[in-house]
Amino acid sequence: MENSSKDQRKNRYRIGDSVEVHSKEEGFVGSYYEAKVLEVAKNHVFVIYKTLLSDDESEWLRERVHVSEVRPRPPQLWTSGFHQWDEVDAFDNEGWWVGRICNITESKYYACFNGNINGKDSSSDDDCQKRRRLVDESKYYVYFPNSSGDVIPYSSSQLRLHQEWKNGKWVPSTSCF
């Protein structure tokens, strides 16, 4: 996690904040997990994860973590689409993993969804034009050099543009691996 100044290590979180926790465990390096702050201490926060379960799988995992392993949830960035070599976060195994798109297999088409308009079954071509939607089944192949080294395909709904938390601000990633 990029915490370049001592000020960033001071606890700036509040109870109820939505955060992401950076895992340093072997096999999970390079991943971030969504959580909510339950308690705040000087250099630590107590969080409850939104996607990870306790060992006995009876409840959401709760954990005390150092503030250097915590960052606010990144804002959603609007994108018109992903491109080859974009640095992204891919949602997999209950967390966000940093990788880079190395290949794209495009599969986009328009589909007309049948339905009732004003209580009538309408199947005319004109009505279909009004109800047609773009369906994107493209696959984005993401390479994970900092964790597994694998290349895994994802749909666009499983990706977000990667951002770095630097000096208390979100910065769109421009780094190359």
Side-chain angles (χ1 to χ4, degrees):
M1 182 139 172
E2 289 68 50
N3 285 326
S4 57
S5 72
K6 291 181 182 178
D7 289 340
Q8 286 181 307
R9 296 198 190 280
K10 291 180 183 174
N11 200 338
R12 57 191 303 285
Y13 301 102
R14 294 189 171 135
I15 294 172
D17 282 354
S18 290
V19 296
E20 290 184 346
V21 179
H22 181 324
S23 181
K24 293 183 178 178
E25 285 186 42
E26 186 176 335
F28 296 94
V29 173
S31 61
Y32 295 86
Y33 295 88
E34 296 177 14
K36 180 177 163 184
V37 175
L38 297 177
E39 293 178 22
V40 178
K42 183 178 179 182
N43 293 319
H44 292 84
V45 291
F46 190 68
V47 299
I48 184 168
Y49 290 94
K50 294 182 178 180
T51 58
L52 298 178
L53 293 173
S54 61
D55 287 339
D56 66 3
E57 298 185 356
S58 65
E59 61 185 4
W60 296 115
L61 178 63
R62 295 168 185 251
E63 184 176 49
R64 180 179 177 236
V65 293
H66 194 273
V67 294
S68 66
E69 297 174 33
V70 179
R71 67 183 192 181
R73 293 263 330 265
Q76 274 192 296
L77 295 179
W78 183 86
T79 179
S80 60
F82 296 101
H83 306 287
Q84 191 168 7
W85 309 123
D86 281 350
E87 190 171 21
V88 296
D89 298 332
F91 191 80
D92 202 345
N93 292 322
E94 312 306 330
W96 292 100
W97 298 76
V98 181
R100 185 169 300 278
I101 295 174
C102 62
N103 193 18
I104 300 170
T105 305
E106 287 198 26
S107 176
K108 297 178 184 179
Y109 56 90
Y110 284 95
C112 180
F113 296 94
N114 289 332
N116 293 335
I117 295 179
N118 298 328
K120 297 183 207 172
D121 182 27
S122 59
S123 55
S124 73
D125 287 341
D126 193 38
D127 289 333
C128 184
Q129 289 296 324
K130 294 175 187 174
R131 293 190 321 275
R132 76 182 202 153
R133 301 288 181 260
L134 178 64
V135 178
D136 184 356
E137 293 182 350
S138 298
K139 291 294 180 188
Y140 301 86
Y141 292 82
V142 179
Y143 171 58
F144 299 97
N146 297 329
S147 54
S148 66
D150 292 339
V151 174
I152 302 173
Y154 294 95
S155 66
S156 62
S157 65
Q158 295 170 287
L159 301 176
R160 67 183 185 192
L161 290 173
H162 182 70
Q163 300 173 72
E164 297 287 340
W165 181 244
K166 292 184 177 181
N167 300 320
K169 295 182 180 179
W170 286 107
V171 179
S173 177
T174 57
S175 68
C176 293
F177 290 125

